[in-house]
Amino acid sequence: MDVIIVGGGIVGTSAAFHLARKGVSTALVDASHPGQATAAGLGVVFPWPLPWDEPPVWDFKARAAEHYPRLMAELAEDGQATGYEVVGGLSVDREGDDAGFDLLRNLSERPEFATMGAVERLAPGGPRERFPLLPEAYGGVFVEGMARLNGAAARVALFNAAEERGLRYFKGECRLLWDGRRVGGVRVGSEALEAPVVVVAAGAWSAGLLATAGVDLPVHPVRGQVTHFALPGRDTRAWPVVRFGERGYFVSAFGPDRVVTGGTWEPEAGFDRRVTASGLLHNLSTAVEVLPELADATVVETRVGLRPCTHDGRQLLGTVERLPGVVVATGLGGEGLTFGPFQGLVAARLAMGEDPGVDLSPFRPDRPMAPA
């Protein structure tokens, strides 16, 4: 094998797909940890940079925004059900100050933001016409190009497309094959899999892999509990995603009748993947506060994802000086479904020895980082 990828979330399967489509002999090793962030994500896709992003971050996001629809179209043409739908997005608030119309309009007018589509200001009552659970008092902004993503479906689509192109799959916990000088593969159970490059894309579990070779990877889990509601008799398939500007809260909808509300942010929980009473209380009370009509909805489930986060808020993407043979791709926090597919592409380029196409210096996995 030429490349081994550790981690079967959206980053790892994206890397696997981009390698396999180039004819690179690739294996994917996945422990299928409960709590994998990809399957629990809210599904809001806003891949465009913001004015305050540093230049390398801006460039990464701008290229991710271009890559996203191309990748999803390629998977769809391949016959895969991607779980990706461009339904538009609303940024709403009661006073009209926090919806961000001027910012979004100015971004949409730049040529590199063509995928954002039209940006339209909506008077009070306008957002409710598009997302019928919103209170009448809300005004806001509609962004045509925003999308939602079913993370579990996208992961399966990427995996299946890669497998059709020769990807090999191994399920189980693994350890790096480290001889003190270079990583030469991984060990899965009693089986040694050798390859000159290992892509570590195991999300919040990535630090444990590198620790066996004496490297302290600065990524940690942040638990997120996300609650799903059903609205029997309501067709939610065309509803846009929603951001509540005054509180930074998100809601998305999926067919045939499901609404998913923004979840908890629990850095103190570690790898505990339980649904807790306090987490569920937070989700229910906040959901009914912002969308009162959800009070009569059916509570379907609460999913738990362990987001891979860093103390400085920037992703970990690149090689590690002390571990030749390793490429790290993780640390996207709550933006994995938005930027994970492009992070996987960049990791694949690095694994092939190609130019990554973006400046990775701010994302170095072994950069100095002060604890929180």
Side-chain angles (χ1 to χ4, degrees):
M1 283 172 289
D2 297 319
V3 181
I4 295 170
I5 299 164
V6 182
I10 196 163
V11 176
T13 51
S14 173
F17 170 72
H18 287 100
L19 287 164
R21 70 193 287 273
K22 286 286 192 78
V24 177
S25 177
T26 307
L28 177 69
V29 179
D30 186 25
S32 298
H33 290 291
Q36 185 189 75
T38 293
L42 187 64
V44 177
V45 177
F46 184 93
W48 304 283
L50 295 167
W52 49 82
D53 287 325
E54 301 171 70
V57 176
W58 176 288
D59 187 45
F60 180 91
K61 290 183 177 182
R63 293 176 184 271
E66 295 172 350
H67 172 254
Y68 218 118
R70 290 201 305 267
L71 172 63
M72 294 300 157
E74 183 175 354
L75 291 170
E77 290 170 5
D78 199 53
Q80 306 296 335
T82 63
Y84 174 77
E85 298 172 282
V86 179
V87 292
L90 292 167
S91 181
V92 302
D93 71 276
R94 293 182 185 273
E95 304 299 329
D97 297 328
D98 295 315
F101 173 72
D102 290 335
L103 181 154
L104 293 166
R105 182 190 59 187
N106 291 339
L107 288 176
S108 71
E109 292 174 349
R110 300 176 63 127
E112 65 266 38
F113 289 81
T115 54
M116 186 178 283
V119 175
E120 177 185 357
R121 189 193 294 274
L122 303 176
R128 182 176 173 84
E129 294 176 6
R130 299 174 185 264
F131 196 99
L133 298 186
L134 284 167
E136 189 73 26
Y138 276 110
V141 183
F142 180 72
V143 180
E144 182 183 30
M146 284 185 67
R148 65 180 176 221
L149 184 74
N150 181 321
R155 177 215 168 274
V156 170
L158 287 161
F159 177 86
N160 288 344
E163 194 172 46
E164 290 172 1
R165 291 162 173 80
L167 177 72
R168 297 178 63 191
Y169 174 67
F170 299 85
K171 182 176 180 179
E173 300 276 359
C174 72
R175 293 171 61 89
L176 296 178
L177 293 176
W178 166 245
D179 64 5
R181 299 185 305 276
R182 183 178 181 87
V183 170
V186 301
R187 181 175 298 279
V188 185
S190 61
E191 186 174 4
L193 307 177
E194 296 183 352
V197 181
V198 175
V199 176
V200 176
W205 291 269
S206 297
L209 279 163
L210 270 63
T212 61
V215 172
D216 183 14
L217 189 69
V219 63
H220 60 275
V222 173
R223 182 171 66 190
Q225 304 179 54
V226 178
T227 299
H228 291 231
F229 300 84
L231 299 167
R234 307 287 292 271
D235 185 352
T236 62
R237 284 172 288 192
W239 292 8
V241 298
V242 182
R243 169 186 174 266
F244 291 82
E246 71 269 24
R247 61 196 307 160
Y249 185 77
F250 290 86
V251 173
S252 61
F254 292 89
D257 62 359
R258 186 166 291 200
V259 170
V260 187
T261 62
T264 62
W265 186 268
E266 304 173 79
E268 73 287 348
F271 286 94
D272 183 350
R273 60 179 182 83
R274 293 177 302 131
V275 176
T276 64
S278 62
L280 185 56
L281 176 62
H282 167 84
N283 286 354
L284 295 178
S285 59
T286 307
V288 173
E289 180 184 350
V290 299
L291 298 173
E293 292 182 41
L294 280 181
D296 196 41
T298 302
V299 178
V300 178
E301 63 177 325
T302 294
R303 298 181 184 178
V304 177
L306 302 176
R307 309 176 185 97
C309 295
T310 63
H311 292 310
D312 65 7
R314 294 201 301 265
Q315 61 179 305
L316 305 174
L317 180 57
T319 57
V320 179
E321 186 175 355
R322 288 180 54 197
L323 284 182
V326 166
V327 173
V328 172
T330 186
L332 286 170
E335 297 182 308
L337 295 186
T338 293
F339 296 112
F342 187 64
Q343 191 189 62
L345 168 60
V346 174
R349 289 172 177 168
L350 291 172
M352 291 185 287
E354 297 180 355
D355 184 337
V358 288
D359 179 6
L360 297 181
S361 57
F363 312 133
R364 281 179 43 211
D366 52 0
R367 65 183 180 270
M369 195 181 303

